[in-house]
Amino acid sequence: KSYGATALALTDHGNMYGAIEFYKECEKNGIKPIIGCEIYMAERTRKDMESGTDNKSYHLTLLAKNETGYKNLMRIVSRAYLEGFYYKPRADHELLREHGEGIICLSGCPGSKFISLLRQGAEEEAKKLLQFYISVFGKENVFVEIMYHEDVNWYIPLIPQIIDVAKEVDLPIVATWDSHYLNEEDKEAHNTLLAINTNNQNFKFGGNYSFIGPEEAQKIFSSIPQATENTLKVAEMVDLEIE
């Protein structure tokens, strides 16, 4: 609210437990709530659970566009737990096909399948994946996601390629930020939580993963202004009222 933001999205990893509390707080403060989830996509299908192969999963950012999308997102998340849990609650292409209506899809962070394919040099496969998202969610509901965390040094050189692929498939790009804590000084506490959660004291986030305001976002993405402009476009597309 102090940033003058008009909308805010919550995309927790694999779950939507915080959605209602988040929705109520946003409503109370005159901010448009965007309910989403950073879901885990299975390497193969959600039913494959073979050690050494299926413990790998990929991130995909899904946002509820309307009430239908909110219900479908809950179905995806619930079935990912009930039918696809192997290390993480995993969804797959079948689940997306069954419950894709009313959902906005962003192609995902550096941990997504789309980025993994680009990193491997499999650009045609990456384009096919975007075409799959278009077939499931509808072209107007698919955006190519772009981040700019300087500590993820292998990702930054991929950005021009991400933009080129988006142009070739005729999809808009949208800026996102990996916010894991509110203020920069919360970094140490967050790294402590990570160490406890993973039982690994060496697992740390290097760069800044705090919440950033509109001005800072525009500065970070100044070379690709359409990416921040499209965050407003996404927000305007969302029309969700929870009874």
Side-chain angles (χ1 to χ4, degrees), residues 217-230:
Q218 279 161 1
K219 205 184 296 173
I220 290 163
F221 295 97
S222 60
S223 60
I224 26 175
Q226 70 272 33
T228 46
E229 285 160 17
N230 282 334

Side-chain angles (χ1 to χ4, degrees), residues 88-153:
K88 309 273 187 191
R90 303 167 309 148
D92 59 10
H93 283 195
E94 183 185 44
L95 274 191
L96 299 187
R97 275 193 207 98
E98 286 180 33
H99 306 299
E101 191 186 346
I103 287 174
I104 296 166
C105 169
L106 314 185
S107 61
C109 69
S112 66
K113 182 71 173 178
F114 172 67
I115 296 299
S116 174
L117 289 168
L118 289 185
R119 200 179 179 192
Q120 291 163 36
E123 191 175 291
E124 290 309 310
E125 286 299 305
K127 287 179 197 168
K128 279 182 195 163
L129 184 62
L130 293 180
Q131 293 293 357
F132 168 74
Y133 296 148
I134 289 168
S135 73
V136 168
F137 302 106
K139 191 172 183 190
E140 71 282 5
N141 297 317
V142 180
F143 291 77
V144 174
E145 187 172 344
I146 208 155
M147 283 191 175
Y148 204 97
H149 291 278
E150 286 178 338
D151 61 308
V152 191
N153 50 14

Side-chain angles (χ1 to χ4, degrees), residues 3 7 20 41 54 58 61 69 78 83 88 111-112 125 138 154 163 197 203 205-207 211 214 217 219-220 233 243:
Y3 284 119
I20 297 300
M41 291 296 292
D54 297 303
Y58 301 93
T61 316
S78 295
E83 300 164 14
K88 309 273 187 191
S112 66
E125 286 299 305
W154 59 264
I163 295 168
N197 189 24
F203 181 47
F205 277 28
F211 184 83
K219 205 184 296 173
I220 290 163
K233 187 178 172 187
E243 292 286 328

Side-chain angles (χ1 to χ4, degrees), residues 26-240:
C26 284
E27 291 273 284
K28 207 189 289 178
N29 286 282
I31 290 168
K32 185 181 200 174
I34 300 169
I35 291 176
C37 184
E38 191 170 8
I39 62 167
Y40 295 106
M41 291 296 292
E43 174 73 77
R44 296 186 291 175
T45 80
R46 70 187 186 281
K47 290 173 182 173
D48 291 313
M49 299 182 184
E50 193 182 311
S51 178
T53 301
D54 297 303
N55 41 320
K56 171 76 177 159
S57 58
Y58 301 93
H59 296 183
L60 183 66
T61 316
L62 301 182
L63 308 172
K65 186 178 183 179
N66 49 36
E67 190 180 0
T68 301
Y70 174 58
K71 288 177 176 174
N72 273 331
L73 196 52
M74 287 196 284
R75 289 184 183 106
I76 292 168
V77 169
S78 295
R79 290 182 67 185
Y81 270 98
L82 296 170
E83 300 164 14
F85 196 97
Y86 187 64
Y87 291 86
K88 309 273 187 191
R90 303 167 309 148
D92 59 10
H93 283 195
E94 183 185 44
L95 274 191
L96 299 187
R97 275 193 207 98
E98 286 180 33
H99 306 299
E101 191 186 346
I103 287 174
I104 296 166
C105 169
L106 314 185
S107 61
C109 69
S112 66
K113 182 71 173 178
F114 172 67
I115 296 299
S116 174
L117 289 168
L118 289 185
R119 200 179 179 192
Q120 291 163 36
E123 191 175 291
E124 290 309 310
E125 286 299 305
K127 287 179 197 168
K128 279 182 195 163
L129 184 62
L130 293 180
Q131 293 293 357
F132 168 74
Y133 296 148
I134 289 168
S135 73
V136 168
F137 302 106
K139 191 172 183 190
E140 71 282 5
N141 297 317
V142 180
F143 291 77
V144 174
E145 187 172 344
I146 208 155
M147 283 191 175
Y148 204 97
H149 291 278
E150 286 178 338
D151 61 308
V152 191
N153 50 14
W154 59 264
Y155 177 82
I156 305 296
L158 278 181
I159 290 176
Q161 190 184 5
I162 297 168
I163 295 168
D164 287 344
V165 169
K167 275 183 193 154
E168 284 178 48
V169 186
D170 192 28
L171 286 174
I173 55 169
V174 68
T176 64
W177 191 257
D178 218 350
S179 302
H180 282 253
Y181 41 88
L182 196 56
N183 306 303
E184 235 178 307
E185 56 268 27
D186 298 329
K187 181 176 176 174
E188 193 183 342
H190 178 253
N191 280 335
T192 303
L193 282 173
L194 283 177
I196 295 165
N197 189 24
T198 59
N199 198 25
N200 176 2
Q201 63 184 352
N202 297 316
F203 181 47
K204 291 183 167 82
F205 277 28
N208 175 23
Y209 290 85
S210 64
F211 184 83
I212 61 167
E215 278 181 27
E216 196 174 346
Q218 279 161 1
K219 205 184 296 173
I220 290 163
F221 295 97
S222 60
S223 60
I224 26 175
Q226 70 272 33
T228 46
E229 285 160 17
N230 282 334
T231 63
L232 292 171
K233 187 178 172 187
V234 170
E236 282 161 12
M237 287 166 69
V238 173
D239 182 20
L240 172 64

